[in-house]
Amino acid sequence: MAALLYAAKAESCPYEVVLVASNNPDAPGLALAAAEGVATWSLSHKGMSRAVFDVLVDEQLLEAGAEFVALAGYMRILSDDFVARWAGRMLNIHPSLLPKYKGLDTHAQAIANGDRHGGCSVHVVTPALDDGPVLAQTPVAILPDDTAETLSARVRIAEHQLYPPTLAAFVMRERTPDYWLGRVREAAMAMPEAEETLSHGMPCFGIVKGKKFAWFSADHHGDGRTALLVKISGAEEQAMLIEQDEARYFRPAYFGDGWIAIRLDLGDNDWEHLAGWIAKSWRAVAPKKLAGLMAAADDF
């Protein structure tokens, strides 16, 4: 926790620590966070069910405005409901080279098994213990005279080095053109008979041997914006959308009245809504027979 907190002080760090919470009111990290001006919250979980306690934690996180959760020495198993509420937005650091040695006593197991390296892993939290996708790892050599305690001390140094940059990269991934393109590609390629091509320097998606229904624009002609371009009904709808939210919608250069550009770089993308735009655009250009089959499948 301290490593994450002090890394956040750098001007270049993309995350801010808004709350340090613990189920142990005597945890030393709480005093440290408070001394550094970070909000804290603590409450013993004793006498409460796991689900009830986790609801209280969730309330504190939301009140603090947290967008992500970074577990650091939090030794309590989380309820499935809590993990589901923070799915894809919660990380943990674990003192082994996952998938090896989930759970406790990781260093002793690595030594007992004759491993050449212990280490640490940062992973996305899922309901299964220490089982989420691994984002980064640091191997730490096991010396001939190592004990679990001596190995643990060196692994802790590696943890402090690994966690802050991994968290920084994770919180920024949803704010990068590569991530946005990946999400657009996922939605577009889910449409029947879709294909991806490159046209005028931009990734675009069309129906095989047919018309294009989506484009991905990143700083096209130096406009400094990243956007999804989709088909619309015409000039009236285009003007209406721009009037409703001129920060988000704009008329894409060289595309005419039949297209609208939806900015992806505003930091609040609703990907389900954007997928709906892509599906609507696909229907606008799909051959009647193909669109009819799609509609029939939706009705079924």
Side-chain angles (χ1 to χ4, degrees):
M1 185 279 294
L4 295 174
L5 187 155
Y6 289 121
K9 288 178 175 286
E11 289 187 7
S12 60
C13 185
Y15 68 80
E16 174 189 3
V17 179
V18 296
L19 178 70
V20 172
S22 177
N23 65 319
N24 176 13
D26 298 322
L30 294 168
L32 172 62
E36 294 293 349
V38 177
T40 64
W41 177 84
S42 63
L43 181 69
S44 173
H45 63 271
K46 294 180 180 178
M48 280 184 280
S49 70
R50 194 178 307 280
V52 169
F53 184 79
D54 284 355
V55 167
L56 297 178
V57 176
D58 190 53
E59 290 175 351
Q60 293 297 318
L61 291 168
L62 295 176
E63 184 176 333
E67 298 179 37
F68 299 87
V69 174
L71 303 177
Y74 192 74
M75 300 301 292
R76 184 169 166 79
I77 293 175
L78 299 165
S79 64
D80 287 352
D81 285 346
F82 183 87
V83 173
R85 285 194 294 272
W86 291 92
R89 295 183 292 148
M90 181 160 51
L91 302 187
N92 181 46
I93 189 159
H94 182 73
S96 79
L97 297 176
L98 292 172
K100 282 188 172 182
Y101 314 130
K102 300 173 183 179
L104 302 175
D105 301 322
T106 59
H107 307 303
Q109 291 184 72
I111 293 171
N113 289 332
D115 292 356
R116 296 179 61 185
H117 291 86
C120 53
S121 306
V122 177
H123 67 96
V124 179
V125 176
T126 59
L129 180 65
D130 301 327
D131 197 48
V134 173
L135 301 177
Q137 294 182 318
T138 299
V140 175
I142 297 177
L143 305 180
D145 58 349
D146 259 333
T147 64
E149 290 73 22
T150 59
L151 177 58
S152 174
R154 291 201 310 284
V155 169
R156 191 172 300 115
I157 295 171
E159 289 178 338
H160 294 173
Q161 298 294 318
L162 181 66
Y163 209 173
T166 305
L167 176 60
F170 186 76
V171 302
M172 285 300 293
R173 71 175 188 164
E174 295 187 10
R175 295 168 171 84
T176 63
D178 284 347
Y179 178 82
W180 301 326
L181 174 56
R183 294 300 299 264
V184 168
R185 178 181 290 120
E186 180 183 1
M189 295 304 293
M191 303 309 298
E193 297 192 20
E195 65 174 358
E196 179 179 354
T197 57
L198 193 67
S199 179
H200 302 288
M202 295 188 294
C204 61
F205 303 89
I207 297 173
V208 176
K209 297 181 180 179
K211 297 179 179 179
K212 303 293 187 288
F213 61 88
W215 299 70
F216 180 83
S217 170
D219 195 28
H220 191 52
H221 293 287
D223 67 4
R225 297 175 289 196
T226 301
L228 165 67
L229 278 57
V230 291
K231 287 283 292 181
I232 52 175
S233 59
E236 185 175 338
E237 184 179 8
Q238 187 185 76
M240 180 190 67
L241 290 167
I242 294 172
E243 183 178 354
Q244 286 178 351
D245 191 348
E246 62 181 0
R248 187 176 309 276
Y249 299 102
F250 64 95
R251 177 189 173 99
Y254 308 110
F255 277 77
D257 297 336
W259 293 82
I260 192 70
I262 309 170
R263 292 190 65 171
L264 302 175
D265 51 5
L266 299 180
D268 59 350
N269 293 321
D270 181 340
W271 289 106
E272 184 175 347
H273 182 68
L274 290 167
W277 269 113
I278 290 171
K280 178 182 175 182
S281 186
W282 179 90
R283 289 186 175 93
V285 304
K288 290 184 178 180
K289 182 177 180 180
L290 186 58
L293 291 173
M294 182 71 170
D298 290 343
D299 291 340
F300 181 78

